[in-house]
Amino acid sequence: MYLHVVMMAFNQEVSASFRSQIETCFKGIADECEGVARFDLVDNQSRTSTAYTHALVSVFSDEAALDSYRTGAAHDRLMTQLGPHINEIVVLDSSLDNRAQPTNKTDEI
């Protein structure tokens, strides 16, 4: 599995109608693009990150599925819709398959 998170700082407050438009677009992407396990708009509930108020949290079957989405028409449509409203973004991409496994410290005693 491959994680793709896009933190967004919008240039204006996200109204209920604009949020609804974003969520509708997101639902279409999950249906249209192969390899999408999750594609959600979430509120940033951190008290220390006031500029980045929302994030796209998505999970793809693998990095190739993410690459396919990024170069496809669905991504282009999303950027056309969101681009004018975004002041800044921060992107995180990471494989979920290579996470460090917790160790049992009692086995080392």
Side-chain angles (χ1 to χ4, degrees), residues 8 13 21 23 30 38 47 51 60 62 68 71-72 79 83 92 94 106 108:
M8 294 175 274
E13 186 174 332
Q21 290 174 352
E23 289 175 342
R38 178 178 177 173
R47 294 180 201 149
F60 291 82
D62 53 28
S68 178
T71 58
M79 292 311 300
L92 168 77
S94 181
T106 59
E108 298 174 9

Side-chain angles (χ1 to χ4, degrees), residues 55-104:
L56 156 65
V57 176
S58 54
V59 178
F60 291 82
S61 57
D62 53 28
E63 189 174 4
L66 173 59
D67 289 342
S68 178
Y69 156 72
R70 276 192 192 141
T71 58
H75 183 266
D76 290 345
R77 283 192 308 274
L78 180 63
M79 292 311 300
T80 297
Q81 184 176 6
L82 288 180
H85 304 283
I86 295 175
N87 188 39
E88 190 174 337
I89 65 169
V90 174
V91 178
L92 168 77
D93 293 329
S94 181
S95 173
L96 295 176
D97 297 329
N98 296 328
R99 294 176 290 157
Q101 298 299 314
T103 60
N104 185 347

